[in-house]
Amino acid sequence: MAISELKLPQGVQACSHDNAEQLAQALAVRVADALRQAITSRGQATLVVSGGRSPVPFFEALAQQELPWAQVCVSLADERWVPVNHAGSNEALVRRHLLQGPAAEARFLSLYQVAGNLEQAAELADEAVAELAPIDVLVLGMGDDGHTASLFPHSPNLQQALQPDCARRVLPMLAPSEPAQRLTLTLPVLASARLPLLAIQGQAKLNTLSAALMPGEIAQLPIRAFLNSPLEIHWCP
């Protein structure tokens, strides 16, 4: 199955790439163009990205793009509640692979907060995210279980996080894998992005996407909350 065979909702676009390197390069060019447009229109741009291993080539390609990086604010769709020097830190990943060279001039807004417990960390992160300007570009990934950001099926706070009128900007979440404790932006914040992009690789994730396009509960496959216009999906085998 190819992504072109899927019946996508109106206003959702699919872009197929030959391999992961092509996807990373094309996504970097698309994101950079959108950031430039935002800077031209509003004098600044806000980019929110996802962590994990898959985005590394994209981060490195984006760092090579010519941009007035000092006018860009970068933040995360979700974070693992671990110190920044921990191997699982999404912030560390972004700093290591994206905020390098000229891109180091970008401002970074951290989700990780030192606190006594995960709930307190989420409350502090919620306050920090209040400073985040409206999102110009959002780059999401997706797990084989249909999660995106840290909106995991069966996580205790999932229903609240997926409410269109959720009053919280950040909620604590529990992942089925270690480190389990996560912080995630909630649906209203993520869904407000001017340009949402979804990057996925491989047949297994295409199968998950195909299942998510069928009728069903959003909480079963949380990516369903984002499969509407405007959205660009970038996929490679």
Side-chain angles (χ1 to χ4, degrees), residues 15-230:
C15 305
S16 183
H17 308 279
D18 292 341
N19 52 52
E21 183 180 353
Q22 282 191 14
L23 188 156
Q25 291 291 336
L27 195 61
V29 170
R30 180 71 178 101
V31 169
D33 285 346
L35 294 176
R36 287 189 203 99
Q37 289 177 12
I39 291 166
T40 299
S41 298
R42 291 176 288 280
Q44 62 179 15
T46 300
L47 168 66
V48 171
V49 296
S50 301
R53 291 184 300 275
S54 299
V56 168
F58 157 65
F59 289 161
E60 294 178 346
L62 183 58
Q64 301 300 314
Q65 295 289 315
E66 288 191 20
L67 279 163
W69 283 103
Q71 293 164 264
V72 178
C73 176
V74 179
S75 192
L76 285 159
D78 65 315
E79 180 58 285
R80 294 153 178 182
W81 192 50
V82 294
V84 177
N85 60 3
H86 188 282
S89 167
N90 285 340
E91 177 174 340
L93 189 85
V94 170
R95 290 190 180 279
R96 190 163 57 245
H97 296 285
L98 173 55
L99 302 181
Q100 295 291 321
E105 293 185 9
R107 176 187 170 221
F108 184 82
L109 194 151
S110 177
L111 284 190
Y112 173 74
Q113 304 289 330
V114 178
N117 57 51
L118 182 63
E119 175 58 49
Q120 291 172 5
E123 290 172 359
L124 291 171
D126 192 286
E127 293 174 12
V129 169
E131 299 178 19
L132 192 69
I135 301 170
D136 292 295
V137 185
L138 170 67
V139 183
L140 292 172
M142 183 190 71
D144 291 345
D145 61 355
H147 86 265
T148 191
S150 280
L151 299 166
F152 287 94
H154 313 301
S155 186
N157 288 325
L158 180 65
Q159 292 286 358
Q160 182 184 356
L162 288 174
Q163 292 301 315
D165 59 352
C166 178
R168 289 280 295 271
R169 292 174 286 260
V170 178
L171 279 172
M173 302 295 286
L174 295 177
S177 58
E178 290 298 326
Q181 293 186 306
R182 307 286 179 99
L183 301 166
T184 190
L185 298 185
T186 58
L187 178 62
V189 180
L190 295 169
S192 69
R194 292 183 172 99
L195 175 63
L197 303 161
L198 172 63
I200 55 173
Q201 300 177 29
Q203 195 62 49
K205 291 192 177 181
L206 193 61
N207 292 342
T208 300
L209 180 63
S210 178
L213 289 166
M214 303 300 238
E217 291 288 326
I218 290 177
Q220 291 177 345
L221 295 167
I223 190 64
R224 282 180 169 139
F226 301 91
L227 298 179
N228 46 59
S229 180

